[in-house]
Amino acid sequence: MLAIMKNYVKHSDFKTILVDAIHTLYIPEHGFDQKMVNILKRYKNPIIITTNMKLDDLEKHPLLGLGYQIFTREGDPNKRDPEYWKKLLDHYGLTINDVIAFDHNPEVKESAYDAGVVTQLIEPYAERDHAAIQGLFDTYFTLMDRFVENEPVI
């Protein structure tokens, strides 16, 4: 089962950003990592939040308030399985060249890589250097001409 929280429109001129839900955007002990959310808001690129959450849990989660697409397979397959990423790409009609992913979990990074998805590891919240993450995003987005920047919000 998968969850689509709002209509997704693929934009051929922009890369789609795939970003991990729990421990990247939302920290259970803290709430939203607002600086991370603000970094994402700098770009007009489509954003899909990736998660293993069950639909019942997702329906009452604050992530819905961000207004981004949310993709879950409810753990079947888990994000640690390359098949998760293949199903995500297939569902949205995307290719590995259309996306870039950001996740906190090294195992998830490896599974995405095994599926052909370029993935950047994000540090744990307590160690997170948001200026470095912003620099990383800017570097990716400068090298890949399919990213479009909004006005800074940090």
Side-chain angles (χ1 to χ4, degrees), residues 6-151:
K6 65 183 240 187
N7 292 334
Y8 174 80
V9 178
K10 178 182 173 184
H11 196 295
S12 61
D13 294 335
F14 306 147
K15 282 216 180 236
T16 297
I17 299 170
L18 308 177
V19 63
D20 172 54
I22 307 301
H23 297 290
T24 300
L25 285 180
Y26 187 85
I27 314 304
E29 317 72 51
H30 173 77
F32 284 108
D33 178 348
Q34 195 58 52
K35 290 182 180 179
M36 191 71 185
V37 171
N38 289 345
I39 289 170
L40 290 173
K41 287 181 179 180
R42 287 187 61 184
Y43 302 95
K44 295 178 184 175
N45 302 67
I47 295 171
I48 300 172
I49 298 173
T50 61
T51 186
N52 288 319
M53 290 176 71
K54 300 282 186 202
L55 285 175
D56 290 346
D57 295 331
L58 195 51
E59 289 173 354
K60 55 190 172 202
H61 200 280
L63 284 165
L64 292 178
L66 292 177
Y68 296 130
Q69 278 290 309
I70 301 176
F71 182 82
T72 185
R73 295 289 305 176
E74 296 187 283
D76 184 25
N78 189 288
K79 287 173 45 180
R80 293 182 183 111
D81 182 340
E83 195 61 28
Y84 174 95
W85 302 98
K86 293 174 186 175
K87 289 183 181 295
L88 182 150
L89 295 172
D90 183 58
H91 179 80
Y92 289 105
L94 297 166
T95 70
I96 58 173
N97 296 318
D98 295 327
V99 299
I100 186 166
F102 297 89
D103 202 290
H104 77 284
N105 186 322
E107 291 177 51
V108 171
K109 179 185 181 228
E110 288 302 313
S111 78
Y113 177 81
D114 289 346
V117 174
V118 173
T119 307
Q120 178 61 47
L121 195 62
I122 300 294
E123 302 93 351
Y125 181 72
E127 302 164 20
R128 199 166 286 172
D129 179 348
H130 292 91
I133 293 170
Q134 180 63 66
L136 176 70
F137 271 63
D138 288 344
T139 299
Y140 271 123
F141 303 163
T142 300
L143 294 173
M144 301 173 182
D145 61 355
R146 292 170 56 196
F147 287 87
V148 180
E149 189 172 3
N150 284 322
E151 295 299 314

